[in-house]
């Protein structure tokens, strides 16, 4: 799940989203592209041409991602979302029932679309007369071609890495082992590019091109490692719900407790920094949740106010509390914990508090699951 996005359209049940990085990316790339048209157009016209060029580039990224989603949909895989970032895109396909051949076809669809766009824009550049339109076509052809080459690099989760992993998975019948092998191959290619870049710099003196080779190698190696970690996490957490890992023993606080009593009984010497607020005494399960009491709530009041301020006055009310349900996936729970900046989130069903998820407990559970897979 990609967070901090805005849904701008819907294709069937699949939302088309733009990430917050889209606008900065649009601005930066528009300014860069506008310089290509400066020799033949005025500054304002060049800026307009640059914006149009970048919008067409984002259109190419969208078609690339849409191709992934279309093949996934035809293969019977739900497509959760298509997201365009400032410098790329992502198609979220439900991989619960993914097979090697399906992954190969889904991964290959994007580069195939980029190849088609590259050919179309190249032909347009050839038949155009020299000028702004030809420059536009050349830019589209070169960027879509670059996107094709970049995505074919054998670094998971790039398309080339996914294709390599799918082939190895088909041959070995072991997805994790195939992903690990694909990661090693990608890292070897990455280090090879770094070595070639260094040799090229020493022999030719062209530091700019050598730097590009080095950056590509570093990017490939780093992307492969991050992709393998992401895949291992997804497979380790597949089918695991909040109900499977939530803690049903926890400390709750009463709403009429004063802040000084709260600090003395629950904060001093304790590791928890967040507490459910319930009408009954602590440690009683399946009660209505009234709110959450955190250290941030406590710091809103001076020590001199603690004796005359109750938990009810200081707590975050239930309407503003981020909550989990027993069926929430562990992946989503981890994202919500990160976004809420809290160490604990309540698990609620039918308006009743069923348990809590602690960040430290969840991270330990994930660590154990990953260790079992290695």
């Amino acid at each position: 799940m990609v967070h901090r996005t805005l849904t701008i359209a819907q294709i069937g049940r699949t939302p088309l989203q733009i990430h917050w990085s889209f606008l900065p990316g649009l601005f930066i790339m528009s300014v860069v592209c506008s310089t290509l048209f400066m020799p033949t157009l005025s500054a304002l016209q060049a800026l307009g041409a640059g914006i149009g060029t970048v919008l067409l580039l984002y259109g190419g990224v969208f078609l690339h991602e849409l191709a992934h989603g279309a093949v996934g949909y035809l293969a019977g895989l739900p497509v959760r979302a298509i997201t365009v970032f400032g410098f790329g895109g992502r198609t979220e396909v439900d991989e619960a029932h993914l097979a090697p051949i399906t992954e190969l076809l889904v991964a290959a669809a994007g580069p195939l679309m980029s190849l088609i766009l590259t050919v179309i824009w190249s032909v347009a550049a050839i038949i155009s007369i020299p000028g702004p339109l030809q420059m536009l076509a050349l830019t589209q052809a070169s960027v879509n071609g670059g996107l094709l080459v970049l995505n074919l690099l054998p670094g998971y989760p790039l398309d080339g890495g996914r294709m390599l992993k799918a082939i190895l998975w088909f041959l070995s019948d072991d997805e994790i082992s195939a992903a690990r092998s694909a990661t090693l191959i990608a890292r070897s290619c990455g280090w090879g590019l770094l070595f070639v870049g260094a040799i090229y710099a020493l022999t030719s003196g062209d530091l700019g091109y050598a730097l590009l080779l080095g950056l590509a190698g570093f990017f490939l190696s780093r992307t492969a490692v991050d992709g393998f970690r992401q895949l291992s996490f997804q497979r380790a957490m597949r089918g695991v719900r909040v109900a499977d890992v939530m803690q049903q023993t926890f400390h709750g606080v009463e709403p009429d407790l004063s802040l000084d009593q709260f600090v003395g009984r629950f904060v001093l010497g304790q590791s928890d920094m967040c507490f459910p607020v319930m009408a009954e005494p602590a440690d009683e399960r399946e009660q209505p949740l009234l709110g959450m009491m955190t250290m941030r709530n406590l710091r809103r009041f001076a020590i001199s106010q603690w004796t005359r301020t109750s938990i009810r006055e200081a707590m975050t009310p239930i309407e503003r509390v981020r909550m989990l349900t027993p069926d929430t996936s562990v992946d989503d729970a981890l994202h919500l914990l990160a976004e809420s900046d809290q160490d604990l989130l309540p698990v609620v069903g039918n308006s009743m508090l069923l348990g809590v998820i602690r960040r430290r407990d969840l991270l330990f559970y994930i660590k154990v699951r990953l260790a079992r897979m290695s």
Side-chain angles (χ1 to χ4, degrees):
M1 177 182 292
V2 181
H3 296 270
R4 297 182 179 89
T5 59
L6 173 66
T7 299
I8 59 173
Q10 196 89 6
I11 303 176
R13 296 184 177 180
T14 304
L16 170 61
Q17 305 172 152
I18 55 173
H19 191 254
W20 67 265
S21 60
F22 174 80
L23 289 179
L26 176 63
F27 174 76
I28 294 171
M29 293 175 65
S30 296
V31 172
V32 172
C33 288
S34 66
T35 61
L36 300 174
F37 300 93
M38 287 293 188
T40 56
L41 299 175
S42 67
L44 186 60
Q45 290 174 328
L47 180 59
I51 293 174
T53 300
V54 174
L55 290 176
L56 284 173
L57 292 176
Y58 278 124
V61 172
F62 167 68
L63 290 175
H64 177 105
E65 299 302 329
L66 186 62
H68 287 308
V71 174
Y73 177 79
L74 292 174
L77 301 175
V79 182
R80 295 176 179 174
I82 296 176
T83 307
V84 176
F85 298 87
F87 300 97
R90 176 181 175 183
T91 301
E92 295 181 68
V93 178
D94 189 346
E95 300 180 352
H97 304 289
L98 195 64
I101 299 300
T102 306
E103 180 166 22
L104 178 63
L105 294 175
V106 171
L112 179 59
M113 177 58 72
S114 294
L115 176 60
I116 293 172
L117 291 173
T118 302
V119 172
I120 291 173
W121 285 112
S122 297
V123 171
I126 293 172
I127 65 177
S128 298
I129 61 174
L133 289 179
Q134 187 182 59
M135 180 59 67
L136 172 66
L138 285 172
T139 303
Q140 299 296 325
S142 60
V143 173
N144 280 283
L147 181 65
L148 170 64
V149 173
L150 175 65
N151 276 280
L152 287 177
L153 292 175
Y156 190 89
L158 296 176
D159 296 334
R162 287 183 177 275
M163 293 165 66
L164 175 61
K165 174 217 161 188
I167 294 171
L168 295 175
W169 183 10
F170 178 79
L171 295 175
S172 67
D173 201 30
D174 185 338
E175 183 182 16
I176 297 300
S177 175
R180 185 179 290 110
S181 299
T183 300
L184 291 175
I185 292 172
R187 294 196 70 187
S188 299
C189 292
W191 284 108
L193 283 175
L194 283 170
F195 178 75
V196 170
I199 296 298
Y200 185 79
L202 293 174
T203 56
S204 69
D206 187 352
L207 296 181
Y209 189 70
L211 181 61
L212 286 177
L213 286 174
L215 288 175
F218 174 79
F219 172 77
L220 179 59
S221 180
R222 179 63 182 269
T223 300
V225 173
D226 291 344
F228 178 71
R229 289 173 179 169
Q230 180 183 9
L231 176 69
S232 299
F233 171 78
Q234 290 174 344
R235 296 301 176 263
M237 296 297 105
R238 177 184 286 174
V240 182
R241 305 173 304 144
V242 163
D244 301 321
V245 298
M246 70 180 185
Q247 297 293 320
Q248 299 180 5
T249 300
F250 50 86
H251 295 296
V253 298
E254 299 176 57
D256 297 325
L257 197 69
S258 66
L259 293 186
D260 63 327
Q261 292 176 315
F262 165 69
V263 171
R265 289 170 53 183
F266 293 95
V267 176
L268 297 179
Q270 303 295 325
S271 58
D272 285 340
M273 296 287 106
C274 185
F275 303 86
V277 181
M278 301 176 294
E280 298 296 328
D283 302 331
E284 292 291 333
R285 291 180 52 221
E286 298 195 10
Q287 295 183 44
L289 180 68
L290 303 179
M292 297 294 292
M293 184 64 195
T294 68
M295 294 302 99
R296 184 177 298 174
N297 299 130
L298 181 65
R299 286 193 291 268
R300 290 171 44 221
F301 299 88
I303 296 178
S304 59
Q305 298 176 290
W306 285 3
T307 56
R308 59 180 185 273
T309 305
S310 68
I311 294 292
R312 190 187 304 276
E313 298 172 277
M315 71 180 186
T316 300
I318 184 65
E319 297 81 13
R320 293 165 46 202
V321 172
R322 291 201 175 194
M323 297 176 288
L324 304 171
T325 67
D327 292 327
T328 303
S329 69
V330 167
D331 189 16
D332 288 345
L334 195 61
H335 280 296
L336 285 172
L337 277 167
E339 287 187 347
S340 65
D341 197 28
Q342 299 293 342
D343 292 322
L344 178 149
L345 288 178
V347 182
V348 177
N350 296 323
S351 302
M352 307 299 285
L353 181 63
L354 305 179
V356 298
I357 287 285
R358 294 185 180 90
R359 187 194 302 268
R360 63 177 184 272
D361 296 334
L362 185 55
L363 292 178
F364 179 75
Y365 178 85
I366 293 171
K367 182 178 180 180
V368 171
R369 292 273 298 195
L370 290 174
R372 289 176 178 174
M373 293 181 62
S374 61

